[in-house]
Amino acid sequence: MKVVKYFLQNKVFTHLLLVLVLFGGVFAYTKMGKLEDAPFTIKQALVVTSYPGASPMEVQKQVTDVLAESIQSLDDLYYLKTENREGLSKITVYVKKEIRADKMQQLWDKLRRKVSDVQAKLPKGAGPSLVKDDFGDVLGVFYGLSGEGYSYRELEDHAKNIKNNILKVKDVGKVEIFGAQTPTIDVLVSPAAMTQRGITANDIAAAFDKQNRVVDGGAIETEENRIRIDVTGSFSTIEEIENLTVVSKNGESYRLKDVAQVSESYLKPARSIMRINGADALGIAVATTPNGNVVNMSKGVKECMDSFSSKLPDGLSISCIYDQGYESEVANDGFIINLIVSVLTVVALLLFFIGLKNGLLVGSGLVFSIFATLIYMQATGIALQRMSLAAIIIAMGMLVDNAIVVTDLTLVNMQRGMRKRVAILRAVSTTALPLLAATAIAILTFMPVYLSPHVSGELLSSLFIVIAVSLSFSWIFAMMQTPFYMEQYVARPRREDLKAELNQGKLYDWFRGTLDRVIRRKYAVVTSLVVLLALSVYGFRFIPKVFMPQLNKQYFTLDMWMPEGTRIERTDKEVDEVVRYLQELDQVEMVSSYVGQTPPRYYLANSSFGPQPNYANCLIKTSTPEKARELQKVLYESLPHKFPELFVRANRFELNFIPEALIEARFCGNDPKVLDSLTNVALTIMRNNPKVTNARNEWGNMTMIARPEFDPIRAGLLGISKSNLVEATKSVNDGLPVGIYRDEEKKVPVLLKTNQDKQMGSTQLADFAIWNGKGSAPLSQATKSIRMEWEYPLVKTYNRELTMAAMCDVKPDYTMKEVHAEIRAAIENIKLPQGYSFFWDSQYKDQNEAMAALTKYFPLAFLLLVIILVALFRNIKQPLIILLILPLSIIGIVFGMLLTGFDFGFFCIAGWLGLLGMIIKNVIVLIDEVNIQHREGESLRKAVIESTVSRARPVIMAAGTTILGMVPLLFDVVFNGMATTIVFGLTFATLLTLFVTPALIAIFYKLK
């Protein structure tokens, strides 16, 4: 009370403090960071190791397993998933969900040491392993540089120039160029010509090494100076390479151009190919600094790009593919409008209930609470983004609860004849502790979300913090600013305006009569609500359930797969046809395609695929989100018929990762044949369900391989070694590295390739000439046989055990949970051989983990809640009454979800937890008033009725402000489910507070 008196007596100081809050809030808003969505840590790292020439199974056994064994000893490791392809090992390291962002770098340093420790154990030719701990970096400003008739070298030169200038823009942290092709120098040779001159590939490699090696030329010294000798002669042009002297085994010298054609080219097969509207392109992806303002950064990058666009040669153009800064600004502006609408709605409701002056007074407390919260957010680095702004809107109604209670009780005290300051101090002293307890409980109900170790907890962490801070400020301002403004601006009623009895009139009399009937029929009232609760639990099964909501964007993506073994050129050709088809559609504004692998992570929740030559990704931009959704439905029907070779998935943007398949039934064991058999049984079950689409094996189809069996005896008689054979076959298409050409800062590989008159197939391989410098012989004469066999091009493991999954998606208008429930029993009943295991992966696993993480700290929050309630009321009955009311809120939630048809998911659960805090807060205020009146001499029955009547107005105002404040979120695709939960749940809960609370009190205290 002394603090409140201090603020009442020191007007100048109090005014100064409030003005500072207002100006500080405005300043904080202009300076704080702005993002589209709340950041979260991707708790994964990649360990990539090359092993040229090895089969997928050899990669798995000789490289992946060696690395995985070492990595498994890493502290805080959750599990390992690996992909093994020809010559490439990719290990995805998943760490425990509990690890917070500030601990990740230390963990990745340990991972690097684990990987480094076993490099010596890898087979010759494998490695070195590369640890990518920036796997989750978001390069949210993504541009494309495209041009018809320009080589990739020319595109890359312009892209590098742009990159160097973008790096000078404020808050730019990193710039990556995507889609650049690796240049090569191709040396096309004729085996016959090389054999005739007695030249081998080793001779050409030795010649390159001698001339192009960087060697210290020493120096000469004078009396005063030391002059370094820099011997020229390293290659700088193609002509110099053509004039390279190659010495044969016989000692004869030849110019390289005498035995080969030298030309500039690019590495084949390409790792990735990018196009914009069908034209060759390179991507320029920009990341902001950790604490940078992405909105301002993107504007700076745009200015830089606009400047370059005006200087580019004809035919070159710069396109904005995705601009996180612009998307953040649009999302923030939309939320700010919703926030303003919510504030105006809340104030309007207050004006209706308590008049202009009192309504503005309570509404000013809302403004001060929001501005103080903005100051805290700016000071602690919480950006304005979807979650933090939604938190302010969710807390909107609760922010005025405390001020409403203090204001209403002060007005009632003055109506009873108290002097103004006495009325104010009496109201504050009476409500301070109950309101503090109620505020603490409201914060506690959101605590399990914040403490959740799952990524969803990190995603919603700012929501909890902002709600907790804003509610705390609302209590502080209710105890300080509200009494001060009441004394300054609210006049005490005149003597003739004082009412002998409060809360009188027909409406109040009807309410008293209704409460009297509720108390007399208390058991019937409670029984009817229990029946309604049972019906609601039954009705819950009819609500569609989607764990994470999709976003409302004018973008969507297509993931496309050709059959395994397809050349990247063939995939590119097919995707080019898809792009041509998309460009003919009216809804499409721009299409960017990425063949071979996904582009840089321009949006945090984007999934990553590749490198794999049969994969492609398209980002499609339409004019509006509505057209994007409409087009997705069209493509779902049309693409499978127009492009039957392609397997296509259309994906909307989501807050969580988009998995490779919605449903994955994963089998683990030692034998790929057994795994394949089990997977096929599961796939049959999936395909028999009419709601399933795109059922497939995770490993894909088997591909053909040519397997020449080297015969050392026959080959020895011909003077051909195994290395001669491998070098010859390598030169057919890929090219045999024989040297390095230094092109400025680049090291360009020189590849020896066989000059073929026509493309070689499997049938011509037997006649292919193998040379050894002295003679040549067909491949068939150096081998026992050439077998055409089949192998899996992809081998996967889970925690070092072979794993294969039956995967599928669900058709539109159905949910993963619905389809999974229908196929679950049949797949789980598949009989497993000894040593084999099964579990559900993908969304099912992730959702179960999220729910387990959410409920992990719920007992702690519940225990603290009970402790506060018992400490506040000093008995067990009244806290028990409050707790019994909470489950009944499900009735309103189920009704609202069925009425609106919105999906029920994680955000709805978070909203329900917050709703519990709102309910408890209202019931605390009501029961506390019952106790006060009972202590003042009223009978308990009359105290219950009169307290409910007197508290009806503040309870309805508090609920009404929260409900109307949430209305704008009903139209937001991310938060509509949460808003429905709170709006309908709180509407019904208000009735529970006003009618069921008296009934339960009557039951517990045996009132008649």
Side-chain angles (χ1 to χ4, degrees), residues 281-465:
L282 296 183
I284 303 171
V286 187
T288 187
T289 54
N291 296 317
N293 187 317
V294 70
V295 174
N296 293 338
M297 183 274 284
S298 70
K299 289 178 180 178
V301 170
K302 185 179 185 302
E303 291 176 3
C304 183
M305 290 295 188
D306 290 342
S307 174
F308 265 95
S309 294
S310 61
K311 302 173 186 176
L312 288 175
D314 292 340
L316 281 181
S317 63
I318 296 176
S319 306
C320 179
I321 299 172
Y322 188 87
D323 188 344
Q324 185 189 26
Y326 174 78
E327 296 295 321
S328 300
E329 191 169 31
V330 170
N332 273 269
D333 289 346
F335 260 91
I336 293 299
I337 292 172
N338 286 344
L339 182 60
I340 293 171
V341 170
S342 296
V343 171
L344 294 177
T345 304
V346 168
V347 172
L349 185 67
L350 293 173
L351 297 180
F352 175 78
F353 270 100
I354 56 179
L356 178 63
K357 185 178 289 186
N358 295 330
L360 291 176
L361 187 151
V362 174
S364 66
L366 170 65
V367 174
F368 283 115
S369 297
I370 292 175
F371 277 43
T373 303
L374 291 176
I375 295 172
Y376 177 88
M377 290 169 64
Q378 200 275 334
T380 56
I382 299 176
L384 282 175
Q385 30 82 358
R386 195 185 307 272
M387 296 302 162
S388 58
L389 285 167
I392 295 176
I393 295 177
I394 291 169
M396 185 75 62
M398 293 188 285
L399 294 181
V400 296
D401 284 3
N402 295 326
I404 285 174
V405 172
V406 172
T407 301
D408 185 73
L409 189 54
T410 300
L411 294 175
V412 168
N413 288 341
M414 286 193 292
Q415 284 288 346
R416 289 172 175 168
M418 294 184 189
R419 289 183 295 109
K420 185 192 293 187
R421 179 166 290 191
V422 174
I424 292 172
L425 294 176
R426 176 72 179 272
V428 172
S429 63
T430 303
T431 60
L433 190 57
L435 289 180
L436 179 60
T439 300
I441 287 172
I443 294 171
L444 276 177
T445 55
F446 281 100
M447 189 179 73
V449 177
Y450 175 70
L451 295 178
S452 168
H454 192 263
V455 66
S456 53
E458 192 172 356
L459 181 68
L460 293 173
S461 62
S462 59
L463 184 138
F464 167 79
I465 293 172

Side-chain angles (χ1 to χ4, degrees), residues 206-251:
F208 266 96
D209 183 61
K210 288 178 182 178
Q211 181 151 342
N212 210 41
R213 186 191 303 169
V214 176
V215 180
D216 185 3
I220 59 175
E221 294 182 350
T222 65
E223 290 183 3
E224 297 181 358
N225 300 315
R226 177 180 171 84
I227 303 173
R228 187 174 69 86
I229 300 173
D230 183 12
V231 181
T232 63
S234 296
F235 301 123
S236 59
T237 64
I238 296 297
E239 290 74 18
E240 291 177 358
I241 295 176
E242 290 178 327
N243 291 322
L244 173 68
T245 300
V246 181
V247 180
S248 70
K249 298 293 183 184
N250 302 325

Side-chain angles (χ1 to χ4, degrees), residues 546-561:
V546 176
F547 191 68
M548 277 290 179
Q550 296 178 326
L551 301 180
N552 199 35
K553 285 181 174 289
Q554 70 270 38
Y555 297 92
F556 67 94
T557 63
L558 295 178
D559 286 321
M560 297 170 283
W561 287 268

Side-chain angles (χ1 to χ4, degrees), residues 431-592:
T431 60
L433 190 57
L435 289 180
L436 179 60
T439 300
I441 287 172
I443 294 171
L444 276 177
T445 55
F446 281 100
M447 189 179 73
V449 177
Y450 175 70
L451 295 178
S452 168
H454 192 263
V455 66
S456 53
E458 192 172 356
L459 181 68
L460 293 173
S461 62
S462 59
L463 184 138
F464 167 79
I465 293 172
V466 172
I467 287 177
V469 170
S470 60
L471 288 180
S472 300
F473 277 126
S474 76
W475 182 84
I476 292 171
F477 285 112
M479 298 297 110
M480 180 266 284
Q481 176 259 339
T482 301
F484 179 72
Y485 275 13
M486 289 287 293
E487 183 170 80
Q488 293 294 308
Y489 304 113
V490 177
R492 184 187 178 210
R494 292 174 297 180
R495 186 176 297 276
E496 57 270 23
D497 294 332
L498 297 178
K499 298 178 181 178
E501 294 186 29
L502 301 175
N503 302 322
Q504 298 299 313
K506 290 183 179 180
L507 184 60
Y508 284 108
D509 292 340
W510 171 86
F511 188 31
R512 286 187 177 90
T514 303
L515 289 174
D516 183 70
R517 288 189 291 273
V518 165
I519 291 174
R520 282 190 281 109
R521 298 172 185 173
K522 49 189 175 293
Y523 292 106
V525 170
V526 173
T527 302
S528 63
L529 285 169
V530 171
V531 172
L532 277 177
L533 178 62
L535 290 174
S536 299
V537 172
Y538 175 78
F540 185 75
R541 67 177 61 184
F542 301 106
I543 299 173
K545 298 167 186 69
V546 176
F547 191 68
M548 277 290 179
Q550 296 178 326
L551 301 180
N552 199 35
K553 285 181 174 289
Q554 70 270 38
Y555 297 92
F556 67 94
T557 63
L558 295 178
D559 286 321
M560 297 170 283
W561 287 268
M562 290 286 284
E564 288 285 357
T566 304
R567 295 174 57 193
I568 192 170
E569 293 83 1
R570 176 71 183 88
T571 306
D572 183 42
K573 183 179 179 181
E574 191 74 7
V575 171
D576 188 54
E577 292 297 321
V578 174
V579 171
R580 291 177 189 274
Y581 167 67
L582 292 171
Q583 288 178 306
E584 294 173 357
L585 302 176
D586 294 335
Q587 302 98 320
V588 175
E589 288 190 352
M590 185 175 72
V591 182
S592 54

Side-chain angles (χ1 to χ4, degrees), residues 725-766:
L725 188 149
V726 173
E727 288 172 358
T729 56
K730 178 75 172 172
S731 69
V732 174
N733 283 309
D734 296 349
L736 180 67
V738 293
I740 293 293
Y741 167 57
R742 290 181 176 82
D743 182 7
E744 296 179 354
E745 79 278 8
K746 279 189 174 180
K747 291 183 178 181
V748 180
V750 180
L751 303 178
L752 185 69
K753 294 187 176 182
T754 302
N755 192 359
Q756 301 289 336
D757 295 332
K758 59 182 179 179
Q759 191 171 15
M760 180 175 290
S762 56
T763 56
Q764 291 83 29
L765 186 61

